[in-house]
Amino acid sequence: MPKKKIYFSYSWEEKENKKWIIRLKNDLSNEGLEIIFDQDELDKGTINIDRFISDNMNDADFIIIVITPSYINKSNIKNDGNGNRKRSWVEIENDYIIKRKHNNSKSLIPIIMKKKESNLPDNISGLTYYDMSNENLYKEELQKIRNIIHSEKVKTDIPLITREHPISNLIENIDILFNYQDNPPQVSAVVQYGEASLYLEQNQVLSLFIMVSKNNTCKTEDTSDTKVLSTEYFALPIRQNQYTEVLIKIEQGVNEYLKRVINYEALFEVDKFELLDESYSYKLLSVQRSYWNMLISVANQFDWDNGKTEWNIFQRNNYYIHVFSPIISYNKRYNSGEHAIYRVKKNEDINNDIVDIYVSVRDIIGFSQIEISERKSWGIRKAYNWLKEEFIPFVCLKKNLIVNDVIYRDFCKSEEDVFSQMQYFYMCSKAYVNYDEIIILRNALCFCLRKQYPKEDFNYIISKLGLSGINLQREPFEISESVIENLYNDKFISKIEKNHNNCSLADDILRCIKVFTDDLSRYKLNDFEMSYIIRISNSLIEKMHKVEMLEKYKDKKY
């Protein structure tokens, strides 16, 4: 089982602080905890302050805040916005502490080392604190802190459900509790069988969500009194009389998680971009490595170079581009602060030395003051626009190059006809299609056939639907009526599986609908007609979007 991580936030200013904090650190280290202590890293001489604070405060299970007069003074300093003063470690840490207070206040442990008129800084006022300001109180309060830390279960305290370790001794009283985190959205769950608790990590929960959203629950393994929800990761036995209740709870979990995903994608502007590997990083463009080196070289020439552009490149290096606007600047388009950090990773194309340029959500969240907008910290869409429309053209002008020659691939997805999306989705059998949904698609196709008479595509439609006895020599409107009559007769209805998957039939009908929805089709419906068939097909569209969004974030780690 991994150790719980404890981060120390404190002020070095009083000389005796360090010795006292090391004592507390050692007392807690003996508890089998992993203590994140900046002095240990400083002694190695390799610390990057911003990265150290961002990574470790985000990863910590608990943050211990050692309160002294100097800590309170630093913590209560208001940002004057002029950017001329270097912020202290305490001020930078406070950005993360405020966020943690709103999301998980129980993980903050304020400790009074030295008393002042005001015991707590403004940003954590109202929290329970531990008074260790004299030796008589130290041991008693230390034990309370130990109890708090060890009473909070981390996920691996609870056994993980796996196929190799199936659930035995099934107890009828089952419940599922979902736990959520935001930005980026994450979910885990605890399955309770009576007194027993079993843990589901994110990939396992999402596999359950995907199965339910696909309507694949008919794949459950049934015994006389038990249903088994079976996923790639685990098998979850449920009593027949509790099955519907559990299914409703899972569906509620799906909706809550997707609500958070939608909010996250809107905030960070990521919906049109591909994820990179297993991280919450998004690919923008790919370029030849030589061009990336050229972009880095030009970026380094604008390190704090005010007035030459409407943005500035911050932190000269050979690895990434950090766009930043300082306070003292002629910049009128962008507010002062950090905008975006661009990094690269080798592309999967083994035949060319291509790199993918990406932006990581971890970097955006790591900015000292994150407020995503056109003028402040940039979301993924804005970062993409700046790179493609401002910086690369700026470099190409300087180097006498053509923009399209520099950009090898663009990862921003273009809008696609929703029926083309559905046709591909259901062709791949990514979700079950029931009887009622086939009827919906049939009705949509019949509406199309009444609005347009696709003379050149009748043969294609009849062939796809397996219809027979239709005279193609008749007038187009008569052929349309014949096709519609066939779609409503018993022979066609008998093709629909009432309790099984109809993906193949859905694929055929959607291919026929595309005759009326493709942009290049001469029989394309008008906007009003398109909105109607989209509206009546909404249940299938929503199912597709649900499954695609869940699959997008499955196997992703933050």
Side-chain angles (χ1 to χ4, degrees):
M1 182 179 74
K3 297 179 179 179
K4 291 181 183 178
K5 295 181 179 179
I6 313 296
Y7 183 95
F8 273 77
S9 177
Y10 65 98
S11 170
W12 297 355
E13 198 161 298
E14 293 99 341
K15 293 181 180 179
E16 65 272 26
N17 285 10
K18 186 175 175 182
K19 182 177 179 180
W20 189 94
I21 290 166
I22 289 174
R23 174 193 175 189
L24 177 61
K25 165 183 174 279
N26 291 337
D27 286 339
L28 290 173
S29 295
N30 295 335
E31 298 292 315
L33 304 170
E34 179 182 342
I35 307 299
I36 304 164
F37 191 57
D38 52 18
Q39 193 62 48
D40 294 339
E41 296 299 319
L42 283 169
D43 291 342
K44 298 175 186 176
T46 59
I47 191 169
N48 176 298
I49 293 175
D50 289 333
R51 181 59 58 198
F52 176 86
I53 293 174
S54 172
D55 288 351
N56 289 301
M57 292 193 81
N58 281 324
D59 290 345
D61 294 295
F62 292 90
I63 297 174
I64 288 181
I65 307 164
V66 181
I67 309 297
T68 59
S70 67
Y71 188 96
I72 293 175
N73 291 337
K74 291 179 180 179
S75 181
N76 288 344
I77 291 175
K78 304 299 182 185
N79 188 356
D80 59 10
N82 61 29
N84 295 323
R85 179 182 59 79
K86 184 176 180 181
R87 301 175 80 213
S88 68
W89 271 46
V90 170
E91 291 175 81
I92 297 171
E93 288 173 340
N94 268 310
D95 294 330
Y96 296 89
I97 289 170
I98 291 170
K99 180 180 177 182
R100 183 71 73 104
K101 180 184 176 183
H102 291 303
N103 294 336
N104 184 14
S105 61
K106 290 183 179 179
S107 66
L108 295 175
I109 303 177
I111 294 174
I112 306 296
M113 176 187 164
K114 287 185 178 179
K115 286 195 172 182
K116 193 183 176 183
E117 294 80 6
S118 173
N119 283 332
L120 293 181
D122 295 341
N123 65 328
I124 56 171
S125 61
L127 294 184
T128 300
Y129 62 85
Y130 300 86
D131 188 352
M132 303 177 79
S133 57
N134 66 62
E135 191 62 29
N136 293 332
L137 295 171
Y138 182 91
K139 290 184 179 180
E140 181 182 344
E141 297 291 81
L142 178 63
Q143 188 56 50
K144 290 180 183 178
I145 292 168
R146 287 170 173 159
N147 294 339
I148 287 290
I149 290 172
H150 289 299
S151 66
E152 290 288 324
K153 289 184 177 180
V154 295
K155 65 182 184 182
T156 45
D157 287 335
I158 307 173
L160 193 69
I161 298 178
T162 65
R163 285 192 172 276
E164 290 71 28
H165 301 90
I167 303 165
S168 58
N169 301 320
L170 177 64
I171 300 172
E172 186 169 335
N173 183 22
I174 178 176
D175 196 10
I176 300 181
L177 306 174
F178 296 106
N179 303 301
Y180 306 95
Q181 290 183 343
D182 290 320
N183 298 335
Q186 297 173 80
V187 60
S188 59
V190 174
V191 180
Q192 294 181 329
Y193 283 98
E195 297 299 318
S197 295
L198 298 150
Y199 182 77
L200 292 178
E201 59 188 4
Q202 170 147 318
N203 284 347
Q204 294 178 310
V205 175
L206 291 186
S207 70
L208 187 62
F209 284 177
I210 290 168
M211 184 184 73
V212 170
S213 299
K214 286 180 173 182
N215 296 136
N216 281 14
T217 49
C218 54
K219 277 190 173 180
T220 52
E221 304 162 20
D222 294 351
T223 65
S224 58
D225 63 346
T226 304
K227 280 180 174 281
V228 180
L229 286 177
S230 186
T231 76
E232 61 192 291
Y233 295 105
F234 62 88
L236 191 67
I238 304 168
R239 295 287 192 197
Q240 290 273 14
N241 60 358
Q242 284 195 291
Y243 178 74
T244 301
E245 178 187 344
V246 171
L247 205 59
I248 290 172
K249 183 159 284 193
I250 294 170
E251 289 169 348
Q252 290 171 343
V254 170
N255 293 333
E256 177 62 28
Y257 174 74
L258 288 177
K259 181 177 73 175
R260 293 166 184 265
V261 170
I262 290 168
N263 291 340
Y264 159 77
E265 291 207 332
L267 175 63
F268 288 91
E269 305 171 355
V270 303
D271 59 310
K272 299 297 181 186
F273 296 91
E274 291 184 28
L275 281 153
L276 179 76
D277 298 334
E278 296 182 352
S279 65
Y280 285 88
S281 301
Y282 295 84
K283 296 187 284 187
L284 310 180
L285 303 168
S286 61
V287 298
Q288 291 279 353
R289 188 180 297 276
S290 59
Y291 285 138
W292 171 252
N293 292 336
M294 177 187 69
L295 296 176
I296 286 278
S297 175
V298 173
N300 284 339
Q301 296 172 26
F302 288 85
D303 182 35
W304 293 99
D305 201 352
N306 294 318
K308 291 188 178 180
T309 64
E310 292 184 306
W311 32 263
N312 296 85
I313 306 298
F314 177 57
Q315 293 183 348
R316 183 177 284 116
N317 69 91
N318 295 320
Y319 306 103
Y320 59 87
I321 297 173
H322 187 166
V323 188
F324 180 91
S325 291
I327 290 291
I328 305 171
S329 172
Y330 299 103
N331 181 357
K332 294 182 179 179
R333 286 186 62 197
Y334 305 123
N335 290 9
S336 62
E338 298 175 272
H339 300 312
I341 298 176
Y342 299 84
R343 307 178 191 274
V344 296
K345 184 171 183 177
K346 177 74 175 71
N347 186 273
E348 295 175 354
D349 185 347
I350 60 174
N351 298 316
N352 296 288
D353 194 12
I354 303 292
V355 293
D356 295 333
I357 304 174
Y358 68 90
V359 171
S360 172
V361 166
R362 182 182 286 274
D363 283 325
I364 298 175
I365 292 174
F367 292 163
S368 57
Q369 290 187 335
I370 173 177
E371 184 176 338
I372 297 176
S373 71
E374 286 277 318
R375 296 183 61 83
K376 300 179 182 179
S377 297
W378 294 343
I380 304 301
R381 161 76 66 176
K382 175 58 185 174
Y384 163 84
N385 289 342
W386 178 86
L387 180 66
K388 183 181 179 183
E389 298 172 9
E390 292 192 52
F391 187 58
I392 290 179
F394 173 81
V395 174
C396 287
L397 187 63
K398 292 176 68 69
K399 300 293 184 180
N400 197 28
L401 294 169
I402 299 171
V403 171
N404 288 340
D405 291 341
V406 172
I407 297 174
Y408 180 79
R409 183 180 173 189
D410 189 328
F411 289 106
C412 182
K413 297 177 184 176
S414 57
E415 291 292 337
E416 186 182 5
D417 164 38
V418 69
F419 287 95
S420 295
Q421 295 177 48
M422 278 205 291
Q423 183 268 314
Y424 180 79
F425 178 83
Y426 290 106
M427 177 193 73
C428 297
S429 298
K430 290 190 174 182
Y432 271 41
V433 182
N434 61 36
Y435 177 91
D436 291 337
E437 289 168 334
I438 289 294
I439 296 301
I440 287 171
L441 292 178
R442 179 204 63 183
N443 294 344
L445 176 57
C446 290
F447 175 84
C448 296
L449 287 164
R450 290 189 178 103
K451 294 296 179 180
Q452 293 286 338
Y453 309 132
K455 183 177 180 180
E456 296 175 0
D457 288 304
F458 274 132
N459 193 49
Y460 172 79
I461 291 172
I462 290 166
S463 173
K464 271 290 162 195
L465 299 175
L467 306 180
S468 59
I470 297 176
N471 183 0
L472 293 176
Q473 303 305 314
R474 301 171 70 187
E475 291 294 323
F477 76 92
E478 294 177 312
I479 300 172
S480 275
E481 286 302 321
S482 294
V483 173
I484 292 170
E485 287 175 11
N486 274 264
L487 290 174
Y488 277 88
N489 67 25
D490 292 341
K491 185 176 179 181
F492 179 80
I493 298 298
S494 66
K495 294 181 180 180
I496 307 173
E497 296 282 356
K498 297 212 185 288
N499 298 312
H500 298 88
N501 192 7
N502 292 284
C503 278
S504 178
L505 183 54
D507 173 34
D508 289 334
I509 298 174
L510 285 163
R511 286 175 187 269
C512 296
I513 292 175
K514 282 174 60 180
V515 169
F516 305 91
T517 62
D518 280 348
D519 285 336
L520 299 179
S521 173
R522 62 181 297 184
Y523 306 110
K524 190 175 189 302
L525 302 177
N526 63 37
D527 290 346
F528 175 79
E529 293 162 347
M530 282 291 294
S531 67
Y532 174 76
I533 63 169
I534 288 172
R535 190 163 64 250
I536 66 172
S537 306
N538 190 55
S539 62
L540 287 120
I541 295 170
E542 282 194 356
K543 183 192 295 187
M544 173 183 69
H545 287 160
K546 270 188 178 183
V547 172
E548 287 183 335
M549 195 168 284
L550 292 168
E551 289 182 335
K552 181 177 180 178
Y553 290 100
K554 188 169 171 285
D555 302 322
K556 298 298 177 285
K557 300 174 182 176
Y558 181 65

